[in-house]
């Protein structure tokens, strides 16, 4: 019932509508029209998220609603993307991303809705949310008014890996923005009057635990800048860093260790610090007994696909939905090498992903 040609054609059309983060208006218009044509009741919130509803049918019409979600924006600023279909693979022309992240998620959801509307399969009430601004920090999902949603279970289509990959946990993430304040002085005439902010930052970074801390915790300093010229002792250095862990207590300890390294280096040199720490998103962890996880595992097994319950190293809209009380898994659409010009997707993977989602939504038959 999933039609490969229709699914591919939907994806190609969506890819050809530019939608870098912050510029989702055109794709939102297209998606609103498509959802309306499929019989959904569609609205847009003030942030630009598209929210649509479809009544349940048949023996599932009174079931609890299920949320289906993907994001409309693409990473970075690439526009004019030229998708190329070759040997069963869709890729870009090599000069831009492809945007299968996350337009394959949008296309898979649309294909499943299309099948539901034409094949008359019994299904629960559905709530469909297409978000803006995911790539810039889950902005659309964070702005969603979750009290407007009835669903308490959801499926996000926004990851890669073999079809059957079901992300059931994801990390908490904190960011730390730091300015080291030293004191400027002439580097040749009187360096002893200066406090070298770059040196303080460097000593702090060198003392920090970074990289893979343990199986569920990572940390990174991703940006450092400061200084004016070789002959000036720099009075300022800036440093941006992050850490993630699926265990919140470990994240808190890691952030403390990074701050301690900064405070010790600053104290050694009598520099001062401005520190701003913020939570990017909360993590989540769903047990295999969670109904939406069981539903996805059952659907995969029914199709002969091996279900893979895996943790994610990154955040997605699923983090925000889970924090808001909607138990949400994140499924693979087959997207690969995302956020690079080598991004690609195997058509057969995307078709299998649609079959799997259809089976999750309409478990009776697919
Ligand atoms: Zn994505």
């Amino acid at each position: 019932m999933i039609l490969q040609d229709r699914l591919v054609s939907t994806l190609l059309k969506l890819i050809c509508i530019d939608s870098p983060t912050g510029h989702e208006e055109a794709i939102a218009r297209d998606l609103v029209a498509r959802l309306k044509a499929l019989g959904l009741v569609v609205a847009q919130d003030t942030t630009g998220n598209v929210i649509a509803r479809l009544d349940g049918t048949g023996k599932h019409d009174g079931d609890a609603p299920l949320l289906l979600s993907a994001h409309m924006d693409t990473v970075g600023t690439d526009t004019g993307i030229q998708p190329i279909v070759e040997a069963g693979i869709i890729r870009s022309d090599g000069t831009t991303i492809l945007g299968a992240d996350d337009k394959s998620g949008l296309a898979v959801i649309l294909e499943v809705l299309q099948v539901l509307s034409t094949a008359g399969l019994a299904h629960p009430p559905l709530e469909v949310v297409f978000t803006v601004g995911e790539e810039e920090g889950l902005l659309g999902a964070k702005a969603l008014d979750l009290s407007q949603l009835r669903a308490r279970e959801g499926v996000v289509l926004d990851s890669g890996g073999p079809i059957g990959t079901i992300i059931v946990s994801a990390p908490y993430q904190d960011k730390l923005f730091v300015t080291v304040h030293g004191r400027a002085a002439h580097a040749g005439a009187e360096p002893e009057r200066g406090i070298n902010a770059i040196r303080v930052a460097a000593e702090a970074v060198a003392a920090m635990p970074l990289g893979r801390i343990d199986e569920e915790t990572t940390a990174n300093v991703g940006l450092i800048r400061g200084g004016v010229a070789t002959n000036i002792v720099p009075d300022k250095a800036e440093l941006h860093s992050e850490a993630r862990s699926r265990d919140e207590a470990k994240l808190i300890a890691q952030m403390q260790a990074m701050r301690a390294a900064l405070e010790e280096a600053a104290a050694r040199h009598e520099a001062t610090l401005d520190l701003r720490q913020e939570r990017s998103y909360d993590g989540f962890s769903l047990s295999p007994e969670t109904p939406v996880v069981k539903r996805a595992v059952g659907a995969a097994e029914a199709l002969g696909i091996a279900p893979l319950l895996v943790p994610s190293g990154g955040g997605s809209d699923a983090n925000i939905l889970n924090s808001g009380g909607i138990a949400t898994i994140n499924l693979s659409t087959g997207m690969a090498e995302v956020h690079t010009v080598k991004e690609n997707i195997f058509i057969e993977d995307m078709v299998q992903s649609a079959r799997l989602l259809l089976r999750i939504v309409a478990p009776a038959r697919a």
Side-chain angles (χ1 to χ4, degrees):
M1 278 184 284
I2 297 294
L3 294 184
Q4 173 172 314
D5 291 351
R6 183 173 60 197
L7 175 55
V8 169
S9 143
T10 302
L11 175 62
L12 296 179
K13 284 181 187 145
L14 294 177
I15 286 173
C16 290
I17 303 172
D18 293 334
S19 67
T21 306
H23 303 278
E24 297 94 342
E25 303 83 2
I27 196 163
R29 260 196 310 280
D30 181 86
L31 292 165
V32 166
R34 286 173 182 272
L35 292 166
K36 282 185 176 163
L38 290 168
L40 283 84
V41 176
V42 191
Q44 242 184 312
D45 67 15
T46 52
T47 314
N49 297 309
V50 174
I51 301 150
R53 293 185 166 78
L54 185 66
D55 287 340
T57 60
K59 63 179 181 175
H60 294 302
D61 68 346
D63 289 5
L66 183 66
L67 175 75
L68 306 180
S69 184
H71 64 87
M72 298 187 284
D73 62 314
T74 52
V75 73
T77 56
D78 288 351
T79 55
I81 296 168
Q82 302 285 334
I84 291 170
V85 184
E86 205 171 64
I89 302 170
I90 306 172
R91 56 179 175 78
S92 78
D93 64 4
T95 63
T96 66
I97 57 159
L98 176 63
D101 175 7
D102 188 22
K103 287 172 176 171
S104 58
L106 299 171
V108 163
I109 291 171
L110 289 170
E111 177 62 21
V112 166
L113 293 172
Q114 181 78 54
V115 171
L116 293 180
S117 85
T118 49
L121 300 177
H123 63 81
L126 298 175
E127 293 181 325
V128 176
V129 173
F130 294 152
T131 58
V132 298
E134 194 272 350
E135 300 287 2
E136 290 257 325
L138 320 178
L139 302 178
K142 284 179 178 173
L144 260 183
D145 178 1
L146 294 178
S147 71
Q148 300 289 305
L149 299 174
R150 286 173 53 226
R152 285 298 162 259
E153 294 190 312
V155 180
V156 163
L157 288 110
D158 186 19
S159 64
I163 303 305
T165 297
I166 304 167
I167 292 175
V168 291
S169 67
Y172 295 75
Q173 185 189 79
D174 282 345
K175 288 188 178 174
L176 182 61
F177 301 94
V178 184
T179 306
V180 179
H181 297 282
R183 191 190 309 127
H186 192 291
E190 42 182 10
E192 41 285 292
R193 283 182 52 102
I195 299 174
N196 189 319
I198 291 177
R199 175 164 197 139
V200 174
E203 286 182 14
V205 172
M208 283 180 193
L210 291 174
R212 180 163 296 286
I213 307 302
D214 64 34
E215 186 261 325
E216 55 187 356
T217 312
T218 59
N220 187 49
V221 174
L223 181 149
I224 187 156
R225 73 182 150 219
V228 177
T230 61
N231 59 355
I232 305 172
V233 176
D235 69 342
K236 205 163 103 173
E238 256 183 277
L239 183 151
H240 296 184
S241 58
E242 62 149 61
R244 310 171 190 219
S245 181
R246 292 193 292 279
D247 181 330
E248 191 177 13
K250 286 182 180 172
L251 176 62
I252 291 168
Q254 172 63 27
M255 295 307 289
Q256 273 166 356
M258 291 163 80
R259 297 171 72 120
L262 283 154
E263 277 153 12
E264 282 160 24
R268 260 194 311 276
H269 296 279
E270 294 175 1
T272 59
L273 299 171
D274 282 331
L275 296 172
R276 182 165 57 87
Q277 183 175 328
E278 59 189 44
R279 174 62 51 92
S280 303
Y281 46 76
D282 285 336
F284 67 92
S285 180
L286 301 172
S287 95
E289 297 309 309
T290 311
V292 71
V293 177
K294 286 169 85 170
R295 193 178 177 121
V297 167
E301 284 170 345
L303 293 172
I305 298 168
L308 301 162
L309 303 187
V310 299
S312 163
S316 74
D317 285 346
N319 287 60
I320 305 303
L321 295 169
N322 275 293
S323 303
I326 303 175
T328 305
I329 54 174
N330 186 351
L331 296 184
S332 171
T333 66
M335 62 175 84
E337 304 206 46
V338 300
H339 299 198
T340 77
V341 297
K342 290 183 178 171
E343 184 182 4
N344 66 85
I345 187 165
F346 279 68
I347 292 171
E348 181 51 29
D349 283 347
M350 188 171 54
V351 169
Q352 277 292 74
S353 164
R355 288 193 188 117
L356 178 57
L357 183 65
L358 179 61
R359 192 79 185 209
I360 291 171
V361 171
R365 46 189 266 268

